[in-house]
Each structure stands twice: as C-alpha cells, then as structure tokens.
C-alpha cells in the first residue's frame, strides 16, 4: 500500500474565509454575516502561513488590529514577538470561543459555511486514486466533525486526535512504523508541518503551492502534486 497523508485546510478545501469571519467575530465583535472587508482580508490571507494551530490566530489578528502599513519583515517580527511572549489566558479564551462559534455556525448555518468554503480540484483528483492501492489519511488541526460534514469517507485524524502531539510528524512517524507502507506522501500547505518530517523514512513531503504558503515559498501545483503521488 501507498499511504497519502493530507492536510485539509488549504489542501483539499479553501476554508480561509470561514476562519477569517470567525476570527473577526471573536476578536473584534464583528457580526459573522458582515461582508468581508477586502483590505483587511488581504493581510489575513497574506500572513496566514504563520498560523498552524488555531490559537495562533489570536496573535495574527492582534498584529492586524494594532499595526498598520507594516512591511512583511516588520509584520512577521511583531507576530513572532507575540508568539514568544504569549498571553495564555487570553489565547485560551480566544480558542475556546473560536471553536464554540465554529461549531455553532456549522450546526445552524451550514449553507453559509459552504459558501465560505471552496473545494480544490485536488480533492477530486485524490478521489480517483485506486483505494485498493492507496491508504488515504487526512491529518488536520481542524475538528473532525467539521471535516466529516463534507462527506469525506477517508480516515480522519482531526484536532481531537492531535491534542497530545506538538507536530503532525509525531503522528505520521508512528503511523508509518505501525503500518509499514511501501512508501508515503504528506501534502500540507504549511512548511512548519513539513520540516519536522524530512527525516522520516519512505516519506515524501509535498508543499501545496495552491494553499497559504509562505510569502517567499514556491510549492507544487495541484497537478504536479497529484502526478507525484500517482507515479
């Protein structure tokens, strides 16, 4: 078998608008259904690559709120300053509220959430793989219920299952050792998740260039990533 580990947000679905309206609501009190402001969203989109755990959105929004007209370097430095000087009680409250509001939004307004999310063609490409040859596992910091609602029937390792690991690499390495696939691939749009995996035997890491990659990064196209997996 060939194992394919896939991130969800930024790899299978573009869910950034959903994350933004939730962050905006929790941090600024903005109505969830308020139209998205293009200029602020551009910043959110540009610097989202800095976030690979939901609590980090608290600090991304903090920089966006408190500072205007920063260069890329200045913005990243401010963000890293906050990450290195965390306000634990405030970030915990943010994440708790963020998760509660996401669950409320999905349960009560699923059609609105669907409008905020867009499936990438890569999802359809993956669906064409022969399931007798490919073991497909979604590994995401998103809640499992939010992934399952998309009708996805692959193995899902969500936020709940990853609570006790610092990086996805810990799960991937254990899974590979236990299941011993012929080879494995890991597709993620955040290089913070890929770098710790570089020494895992038989694992090929693929940076999803169609997601929210770093400002100076160049990743694979959807076609390139799929062809690499299918070869």
């Amino acid at each position: 078998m060939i194992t394919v580990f896939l991130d969800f947000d930024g790899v299978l679905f573009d869910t950034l608008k959903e994350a933004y309206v939730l962050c905006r609501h929790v941090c600024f009190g903005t109505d969830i259904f308020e139209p998205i402001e293009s200029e602020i969203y551009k910043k959110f989109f540009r610097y989202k690559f800095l976030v690979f755990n939901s609590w980090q959105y608290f600090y991304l929004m903090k920089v966006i709120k408190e500072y205007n007209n920063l260069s890329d370097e200045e913005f990243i430095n401010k963000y890293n300053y906050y990450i290195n000087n965390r306000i634990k009680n405030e970030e915990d409250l943010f994440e708790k509220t963020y998760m509660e509001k996401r669950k409320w939004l999905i349960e009560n307004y699923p059609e609105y959430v669907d409008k905020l999310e867009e499936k990438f063609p890569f999802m359809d490409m993956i669906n064409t793989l022969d399931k007798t040859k490919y073991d497909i596992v979604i590994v995401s910091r998103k809640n499992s219920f939010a992934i399952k609602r998309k009708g996805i029937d692959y193995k899902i390792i969500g936020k709940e299952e990853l609570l006790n690991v610092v990086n996805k690499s810990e799960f991937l390495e254990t899974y590979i050792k236990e299941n011993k696939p012929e080879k494995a691939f890991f597709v993620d749009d955040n290089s913070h998740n890929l770098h710790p995996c570089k020494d895992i035997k038989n694992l090929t890491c693929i940076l999803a260039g169609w997601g929210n990659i770093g400002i100076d990064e160049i990743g694979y196209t959807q076609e390139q990533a799929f062809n690499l997996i299918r070869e």
Side-chain angles (χ1 to χ4, degrees):
M1 291 288 287
I2 297 172
T3 298
V4 182
F5 299 105
L6 302 168
D7 184 30
F8 184 81
D9 297 322
V11 173
L12 301 180
F13 282 81
D14 181 357
T15 60
L16 200 57
K17 288 180 180 177
E18 179 220 19
Y20 175 70
V21 298
L22 287 167
C23 285
R24 183 185 63 174
H25 174 73
V26 176
C27 293
F28 307 152
T30 308
D31 191 290
I32 285 177
F33 304 103
E34 188 75 18
I36 291 174
E37 320 91 320
S38 60
E39 290 305 311
I40 300 177
Y41 181 70
K42 283 179 184 177
K43 288 185 180 180
F44 187 83
F45 182 92
R46 184 168 182 80
Y47 299 112
K48 191 274 172 187
F49 76 94
L50 296 167
V51 173
F52 49 98
N53 281 299
S54 54
W55 58 266
Q56 292 172 301
Y57 279 127
F58 172 73
Y59 299 105
L60 180 66
M61 297 302 286
K62 192 172 177 63
V63 181
I64 289 174
K65 179 181 180 181
E66 296 178 356
Y67 299 95
N68 292 314
N69 303 316
L70 295 180
S71 67
D72 289 337
E73 182 179 3
E74 289 170 334
F75 190 102
I76 293 169
N77 286 341
K78 287 291 184 184
Y79 174 83
N80 286 333
Y81 170 80
Y82 284 133
I83 291 296
N84 291 323
N85 296 274
R86 294 166 61 180
I87 313 168
K88 198 68 170 60
N89 61 323
E90 292 187 25
E91 84 178 38
D92 287 346
L93 178 60
F94 164 84
E95 184 167 41
K96 179 177 182 293
T97 309
Y98 178 91
M99 291 301 170
E100 289 174 350
K101 282 294 180 179
R102 167 180 273 169
K103 189 172 187 294
W104 171 84
L105 189 62
I106 289 173
E107 289 178 347
N108 292 279
Y109 298 95
E111 292 181 359
Y112 177 65
V113 175
D114 287 338
K115 289 180 180 179
L116 293 173
E117 300 179 340
E118 183 178 352
K119 182 175 66 173
F120 286 116
F122 187 69
M123 176 83 253
D124 293 325
M125 296 178 193
I126 290 296
N127 286 336
T128 67
L129 293 174
D130 185 345
K131 305 307 184 294
T132 65
K133 298 179 180 178
Y134 288 88
D135 172 34
I136 299 171
V137 186
I138 295 176
V139 185
S140 172
R141 294 285 183 181
K142 198 181 191 78
N143 295 101
S144 296
F145 79 88
I147 299 173
K148 290 176 182 177
R149 67 175 290 271
K150 291 295 186 181
I152 293 173
D153 60 358
Y154 302 128
K155 296 177 186 175
I156 297 174
I157 305 300
K159 185 179 184 69
E160 300 86 349
E161 291 80 14
L162 296 177
L163 283 176
N164 295 322
V165 301
V166 175
N167 194 279
K168 292 180 182 181
S169 62
E170 297 172 47
F171 168 79
L172 267 61
E173 187 166 23
T174 300
Y175 189 96
I176 289 173
K177 285 180 179 177
E178 291 178 352
N179 293 277
K180 299 179 174 57
E182 177 186 344
K183 56 183 175 179
F185 298 90
F186 177 30
V187 186
D188 202 300
D189 67 328
N190 196 310
S191 56
H192 289 98
N193 292 321
L194 296 174
H195 288 324
C197 300
K198 64 182 186 305
D199 295 325
I200 299 178
K201 189 176 180 181
N202 293 331
L203 179 67
T204 298
C205 293
I206 300 174
L207 180 62
W210 60 93
N212 299 107
I213 64 175
I215 295 169
D216 298 321
E217 293 180 321
I218 298 175
Y220 288 78
T221 67
Q222 296 178 64
E223 292 77 11
Q224 288 172 334
F226 180 69
N227 289 335
L228 186 60
I229 292 168
R230 188 177 54 176
E231 286 177 353

